[in-house]
Amino acid sequence: MKFTDLGLDDVILKAVNEEGYTQPTLIQEEAIPNVLNGRDVMAAAQTGTGKTASFTLPMLHRLLRHANSSTSPAKHPVRALILTPTRELAAQVDESARRYGKHLSLRVGCVYGGVPMNPQVAMLRSGVEILVATPGRLLDHVGTNNVRFQSVEFLVLDEADRMLDMGFLPDIKRIVDLIPATRQTLLFSATYSEDIRRLAGDWLRNPVKVEVAPRNTVTETIKHTVLHVTEQDKSRQLVTLLQEGTVSQALVFCNTKMGANRLTRQLQNKAIDSEAIHSDRSQIERTAALDNFKAGKTKVLVATDIAARGLDIEQLPHVVNYDLPHNSEDYVHRIGRTGRAGQKGEAISFCTPEDKESVRAIEKLINKKLEVSAPSKVNRSPTSTNTRQSRPGVQQSKEDSFFSKPYVAQTDNSPSAKTIEESSAAVTEKSEKKKPIAALFMPPASDKKN
């Protein structure tokens, strides 16, 4: 099948062709016709299979009737709302909608936190038909009357499993309550739990369920490798892989922001170009770090799970799970950053003795055994141990002589004995000179009357 067989308008096909695409992926073949027919869709597919185009292309087609070049904001109300869990994914979806709709008179806008609100306010007040947003910042604009939803025809939840987990659910409910019930709702994600499916059932009307691969499966172009290491050897192992050239460029995942910062400093100290990306960094810093990595200026991008969803990095050869994820489903999203669009990739996971249960859970989830690889030999620096170094020429005793040697009484002629005797005599003399407390309150002897 080709894109020309899907029923999309020629002006949209022109943009698709200019992007270099001629043949749709399986998820696009299944989802696009259903969206064009006005059906609600609940789609599950492997990461890197083109989910974004599955909803942006048919949505642009159905909004063609509203395209206009008027400068009046009233002619450009929000007609499609796309919600994403992270700023990076929001920016990426915004970019895709602009590329595919570049020949259309439809305005696209994007709002997310971490950047000033004033430019976003100006954009919203000038009018946009397609709005991509993260929930928190969108509610900020709702609270100040910068955006209204009475004309919304499409609601899209991208990475729906994360959007609907308990952290996002209250915000999503508030937003959904503001949108007309006569809308078309689309949910796209790589993974769905049964609880999330029940929640989604409240918002979709007789949805078409599109599942082009078994749930939680991963693309066959990715090689899965696990290295059994100790916690202390993880950073040295990563440095060795990078310095030996086994790993040319890698997106490295840590479970905490502090861990990501610490690992980045360790890599930089070894002259390895690396940057960190996590929620404590400003949006400008996060965008710059991601751009440098995509351009090949940075060899290692150390990230928390904010980078596990939706980031499209072309020809990324390696993903490294420096820390295995707490939730095995996050493994699917993390490694989905490599092996995209038919490219080959490798996912390397460091497994400490405490992580063995996590590895078994991942293997059960993806129905695939992780290939065990022998760790590289690392050079251990003498300063890396906790043992204090002896001064040159001085042999350090392994035992404390105070406890290991028998007690030997000092002779009377020994310096120590003399010191003890002198100290004892001084104490005795001082005791003799010390007067009773009562004497302090008695008059001097010379003042007594005979």
Side-chain angles (χ1 to χ4, degrees):
M1 179 180 287
K2 296 182 179 180
F3 274 107
T4 53
D5 300 325
L6 295 176
L8 295 169
D9 191 270
D10 289 342
V11 71
I12 297 175
L13 291 174
K14 179 182 177 182
V16 171
N17 186 60
E18 289 173 352
E19 292 298 318
Y21 302 117
T22 57
Q23 188 171 353
T25 63
L26 290 176
I27 184 66
Q28 291 164 358
E29 287 183 14
E30 295 290 332
I32 289 176
N34 283 297
V35 178
L36 290 176
N37 290 331
R39 297 292 302 275
D40 285 3
V41 173
M42 186 174 181
Q46 299 167 352
T47 57
T49 55
K51 292 192 300 296
T52 303
S54 297
F55 60 80
T56 53
L57 292 177
M59 184 178 64
L60 288 168
H61 177 94
R62 298 204 67 197
L63 293 177
L64 270 173
R65 67 186 189 279
H66 299 299
N68 69 91
S69 56
S70 173
T71 58
S72 171
K75 296 291 185 178
H76 302 279
V78 177
R79 299 189 183 278
L81 177 62
I82 305 171
L83 298 178
T84 70
T86 67
R87 306 169 190 174
E88 285 74 20
L89 183 54
Q92 185 170 295
V93 173
D94 171 67
E95 182 184 356
S96 295
R98 291 177 186 274
R99 290 203 314 264
Y100 296 133
K102 59 185 175 182
H103 300 303
L104 308 178
S105 296
L106 294 170
R107 296 180 182 179
V108 181
C110 186
V111 297
Y112 49 75
V115 294
M117 285 189 63
N118 288 340
Q120 296 178 359
V121 172
M123 176 268 294
L124 291 171
R125 290 181 177 175
S126 66
V128 291
E129 279 87 5
I130 301 171
L131 180 61
V132 187
T134 55
R137 176 53 64 94
L138 181 62
L139 287 174
D140 291 340
H141 286 292
V142 169
T144 52
N145 268 337
N146 296 326
V147 61
R148 296 182 181 180
F149 302 127
Q150 65 267 23
S151 299
V152 169
E153 301 175 15
F154 288 91
L155 171 64
V156 181
L157 301 183
D158 195 12
E159 298 296 345
D161 57 341
R162 179 61 60 91
M163 292 296 298
L164 296 182
D165 75 15
M166 296 311 295
F168 289 97
L169 187 58
D171 288 348
I172 297 297
K173 284 184 174 179
R174 286 182 59 191
I175 294 169
V176 171
D177 287 344
L178 298 173
I179 300 174
T182 56
R183 64 177 184 270
Q184 188 174 354
T185 307
L186 313 174
L187 272 67
F188 284 78
S189 184
T191 56
Y192 287 96
S193 68
E194 293 301 330
D195 290 339
I196 291 172
R197 287 171 181 261
R198 284 192 291 269
L199 282 172
D202 296 336
W203 296 336
L204 278 72
R205 298 170 302 168
N206 191 26
V208 175
K209 296 181 179 179
V210 178
E211 197 166 11
V212 298
R215 268 183 284 170
N216 304 320
T217 57
V218 293
T219 178
E220 294 297 327
T221 60
I222 299 176
K223 177 184 177 182
H224 304 264
T225 305
V226 60
L227 301 180
H228 290 282
V229 296
T230 63
E231 187 68 36
Q232 294 75 16
D233 275 344
K234 284 163 71 172
S235 62
R236 286 190 290 263
Q237 185 65 229
L238 180 59
V239 168
T240 301
L241 291 173
L242 291 165
Q243 291 178 338
E244 288 181 347
T246 305
V247 174
S248 55
Q249 189 185 32
L251 175 59
V252 180
F253 283 101
C254 293
N255 286 342
T256 66
K257 293 173 284 190
M258 290 180 60
N261 286 336
R262 181 170 56 249
L263 179 58
T264 303
R265 289 193 298 269
Q266 291 171 338
L267 295 176
Q268 291 172 346
N269 289 339
K270 295 293 183 180
I272 297 172
D273 292 332
S274 56
E275 292 186 76
I277 179 172
H278 51 68
S279 59
D280 275 357
R281 302 202 72 191
S282 70
Q283 188 57 40
I284 294 176
E285 291 173 328
R286 287 160 61 169
T287 302
L290 186 57
D291 289 344
N292 288 337
F293 187 67
K294 287 182 175 181
K297 297 178 181 178
T298 304
K299 188 171 185 177
V300 179
L301 184 63
V302 184
T304 55
D305 278 323
I306 66 167
R309 301 290 179 123
L311 290 187
D312 189 6
I313 305 171
E314 293 184 4
Q315 298 181 345
L316 174 63
H318 294 92
V319 167
V320 177
N321 287 302
Y322 187 83
D323 298 324
L324 282 173
H326 298 303
N327 184 349
S328 55
E329 288 188 353
D330 287 334
Y331 177 86
V332 177
H333 293 284
R334 286 183 178 187
I335 67 166
R337 302 313 102 210
T338 187
R340 298 176 72 84
Q343 298 287 332
K344 291 185 178 181
E346 183 176 9
I348 301 174
S349 300
F350 289 169
C351 175
T352 66
E354 293 78 17
D355 293 328
K356 290 182 179 179
E357 187 61 36
S358 296
V359 170
R360 284 192 287 268
I362 290 169
E363 291 176 334
K364 182 179 179 181
L365 179 75
I366 66 175
N367 195 28
K368 186 186 294 288
K369 294 289 290 185
L370 305 188
E371 180 181 329
V372 178
S373 179
S376 301
K377 292 183 179 180
V378 297
N379 295 321
R380 296 177 181 273
S381 171
T383 57
S384 64
T385 61
N386 293 326
T387 307
R388 289 184 295 178
Q389 301 296 317
S390 302
R391 288 177 294 175
V394 179
Q395 185 174 359
Q396 218 174 15
S397 173
K398 293 184 179 179
E399 296 179 324
D400 191 331
S401 60
F402 182 84
F403 294 101
S404 61
K405 294 182 179 180
Y407 171 73
V408 178
Q410 300 286 347
T411 62
D412 292 342
N413 295 328
S414 67
S416 299
K418 290 181 180 179
T419 303
I420 293 172
E421 288 178 1
E422 291 172 359
S423 300
S424 179
V427 171
T428 303
E429 183 180 354
K430 188 175 181 180
S431 299
E432 290 176 353
K433 291 181 179 181
K434 195 173 183 181
K435 294 181 179 181
I437 294 178
L440 297 174
F441 301 96
M442 296 177 65
S446 59
D447 293 342
K448 290 183 179 180
K449 293 181 179 181
N450 295 327

